[in-house]
Amino acid sequence: MSETSYVFPPPSVPAASVRGGGRYPVRRIFCVGRNYLEHAREMDLGADVREPPFYFTKFAVALTPSGSRIAYPPGTENFHYEMELVVALGAPAFEVAPGDALACVYGYACGLDMTRRDLQAKAREKSRPWDLSKSFEQSAVLSEIVPASLIGHPARGTITLAVNGTVRQRADIADMIWSVPEIVANLSRFYHLGPGDLIYTGTPAGVGAVRPGDRLEGSIEGVGTIEAVIVEPQ
Ligand code: MN
């Protein structure tokens, strides 16, 4: 075997379906930690809207398409959904101004930021990293990506999440503390963003726990829908 050969076949590139055809290869998954005032209050994350956004990340391999069966993850007894608007970048963005940020956006999707809430609470309490609570297998559920060339750049529209047919989250993406251009601009101060980078933009109030057998159905007006079913641990 030559020095340049892989010692095992390289894993396939995580990718999402694109409306109209093609696949969007995912490089990195960024998430905004607090972007709706009512959710910040319910989570006691602090409600100072003047405070800059903060972020965490998920493995790209946590990506799971809408319609999947999500195995209840190990190590938690409080597994939560968070319905979110997701931004998919299509061009390099580094230290961009908010006014230039949307030109770097390829499209939008519906996302579920699945969370081990009990582990997140413990991490917050001890000022430890959020990785175990946020970045794990099947934790980044994603609908098809809709190109901005088809729908523009939605700045308002109802975002909802229902569990077994009962609406649990209902808000408007216009209620985000930090808008999409502001998030892209801010995050681009810390990373050389580019094609393949997803940004989950935060969840509204109404997060809650799910159990095996539960069906999640989300929607964002003007963007699309997402669904998943929670199944027994595997
Ligand atoms: Mn979230």
Side-chain angles (χ1 to χ4, degrees):
M1 185 172 283
S2 82
E3 297 243 345
T4 56
S5 298
Y6 293 114
V7 298
F8 57 85
S12 59
V13 175
S17 300
V18 174
R19 187 180 297 174
R23 307 267 296 159
Y24 177 98
V26 173
R27 185 168 73 127
R28 297 182 291 192
I29 302 175
F30 298 95
C31 306
V32 179
R34 175 199 59 204
N35 208 20
Y36 290 81
L37 199 52
E38 289 303 315
H39 175 63
R41 286 177 177 144
E42 78 177 347
M43 291 294 298
D44 197 23
L45 286 171
D48 180 0
V49 299
R50 308 299 302 173
E51 201 175 290
F54 65 92
Y55 307 96
F56 56 91
T57 59
K58 291 177 185 266
F59 305 128
V61 294
L63 193 75
T64 301
S66 173
S68 293
R69 294 158 62 85
I70 310 292
Y72 196 93
T76 184
E77 293 179 351
N78 196 16
F79 186 40
H80 275 212
Y81 56 82
E82 295 188 359
M83 177 68 193
E84 312 197 358
L85 173 69
V86 179
V87 177
L89 295 182
F94 180 61
E95 296 183 344
V96 293
D100 299 323
L102 291 182
C104 305
V105 174
Y106 174 81
Y108 297 88
C110 300
L112 292 168
D113 164 16
M114 301 305 293
T115 301
R116 288 163 163 152
R117 191 71 73 201
D118 44 0
L119 299 195
Q120 184 194 27
K122 281 182 195 165
R124 285 176 53 201
E125 189 181 306
K126 299 190 174 184
S127 298
R128 287 178 177 166
W130 283 13
D131 300 54
L132 287 179
S133 66
K134 288 292 195 177
S135 184
F136 53 92
E137 293 140 17
Q138 295 191 292
S139 66
V141 189
L142 195 73
S143 72
E144 65 175 0
I145 292 172
V146 190
S149 60
L150 295 181
I151 58 165
H153 297 277
R156 59 192 58 77
T158 305
I159 178 170
T160 65
L161 187 282
V163 181
N164 302 325
T166 301
V167 175
R168 299 296 186 190
Q169 293 187 283
R170 186 179 183 87
D172 195 295
I173 57 173
D175 297 337
M176 291 197 295
I177 296 169
W178 297 93
S179 68
V180 169
E182 289 169 336
I183 291 165
V184 173
N186 182 267
L187 190 58
S188 82
R189 295 167 59 189
F190 301 95
Y191 296 93
H192 291 75
L193 300 174
D197 288 337
L198 299 179
I199 307 172
Y200 282 61
T201 58
T203 198
V207 299
V210 286
R211 301 295 310 168
D214 287 344
R215 169 176 292 275
L216 301 174
E217 296 170 296
S219 70
I220 301 173
E221 191 179 359
V223 177
T225 61
I226 187 169
E227 61 180 54
V229 175
I230 312 302
V231 300
E232 293 291 336
Q234 286 166 17

